[in-house]
Amino acid sequence: DHDDTTVNSTATIHFPSFLAYLKLVRPEASYTLEEYFRKNFDPGIMALFTGELGFSEEEIEGEFRFWQDWVRTRIPVAYPGIREILQRHKEAGGRIAVVSHSMRKNIERDYRENDLPEPDVIFGWEQPPEQRKPHTWPLEQIMERFSLAPQELLVVDDLKPGYDMAKAAGVPFSAAGWANDIPEIEQFMRKNCDFYCKTVADLDRLLEK
């Protein structure tokens, strides 16, 4: 994953963008950061737009353009310790694949600006809906491209779509719990995931094993 797993972006960039767009199209709507995290966790951002907020196709397209304009001038900061983990993994011959709901160009910029090792492959929001998580298509492509079995991968993600994707593909999953302290999200992840990492240091220790 990228947002809130590799970089601290929802609280600092995506949520403020969401609130700014709401002021334009749903000024009566109000969300806290915790509520926004919960909606992203389940049922997911598109379900929030089309269901609860009732965005039209035109409003969804407008939100996308607004979000991209917002993100273009704002760069999220990588979590302390992430660079060292990724660098060590690459030096040991490992692969880094990013499966995200952010755009590929923004992910590439964030890696570059945070001096992170370049990913081997990126599947972002530019993919058609049926090729985005929670669909298994990205993992299937990764396994085929690098000749890997499901058990040779580890998905690290902070939200349920990543968990659903990994589970459906039979790939081990580690929850990234360092972006928020929302009890029901942590409880779900601890109960259902193969691994739960509350901090980046926890992930470091897990990978060292």
Side-chain angles (χ1 to χ4, degrees):
D1 184 42
H2 185 62
D3 298 289
D4 304 313
T5 297
T6 301
V7 295
N8 182 10
S9 51
T10 291
T12 62
I13 298 176
H14 302 312
F15 179 62
S17 172
F18 170 72
L19 291 183
Y21 186 71
L22 279 188
K23 286 184 179 180
L24 300 177
V25 299
R26 295 291 188 278
E28 73 283 359
S30 176
Y31 291 86
T32 65
L33 177 59
E34 283 199 2
E35 289 170 338
Y36 187 68
F37 269 121
R38 289 188 177 98
K39 299 297 182 181
N40 273 271
F41 182 75
D42 190 26
I45 192 64
M46 286 304 296
L48 171 62
F49 290 165
T50 60
E52 187 169 317
L53 289 168
F55 282 0
S56 65
E57 289 187 12
E58 183 179 0
E59 287 172 328
I60 290 175
E61 179 60 31
E63 194 282 335
F64 176 78
R65 292 194 301 269
F66 187 93
W67 171 54
Q68 286 302 289
D69 287 341
W70 189 280
V71 169
R72 190 171 295 116
T73 58
R74 296 163 174 86
I75 300 172
V77 176
Y79 289 100
I82 285 292
R83 182 183 181 279
E84 289 77 9
I85 289 173
L86 296 179
Q87 188 67 46
R88 185 182 68 216
H89 183 68
K90 288 279 281 191
E91 290 173 353
R95 303 285 189 176
I96 297 173
V98 182
V99 181
S100 171
H101 283 171
S102 279
M103 297 292 287
R104 177 192 180 99
K105 62 182 180 181
N106 296 328
I107 296 167
E108 290 174 334
R109 178 206 63 184
D110 294 348
Y111 266 72
R112 183 174 61 251
E113 293 299 320
N114 282 279
D115 194 28
L116 303 177
E118 183 179 357
D120 295 281
V121 63
I122 298 173
F123 297 104
W125 191 256
E126 69 281 349
Q127 302 293 144
E130 68 274 10
Q131 294 181 1
R132 302 174 191 152
K133 59 184 175 183
H135 298 287
T136 59
W137 187 87
L139 292 183
E140 292 166 357
Q141 297 302 303
I142 292 165
M143 288 186 282
E144 180 178 352
R145 180 176 302 190
F146 301 115
S147 300
L148 297 170
Q151 64 271 20
E152 294 179 287
L153 275 66
L154 177 68
V155 172
V156 183
D157 201 311
D158 68 305
L159 294 178
K160 191 169 181 291
Y163 162 78
D164 290 338
M165 175 184 67
K167 182 179 180 182
V171 171
F173 181 89
S174 176
W178 46 83
N180 64 74
D181 290 305
I182 299 173
E184 56 264 45
I185 294 179
E186 181 169 343
Q187 290 166 9
F188 176 90
M189 292 298 210
R190 285 189 181 276
K191 178 180 178 181
N192 293 283
C193 301
D194 299 294
F195 310 100
Y196 182 85
C197 296
K198 184 60 181 175
T199 67
V200 174
D202 288 339
L203 177 63
D204 191 20
R205 285 188 288 269
L206 172 64
L207 295 175
E208 280 285 357
K209 296 178 181 178

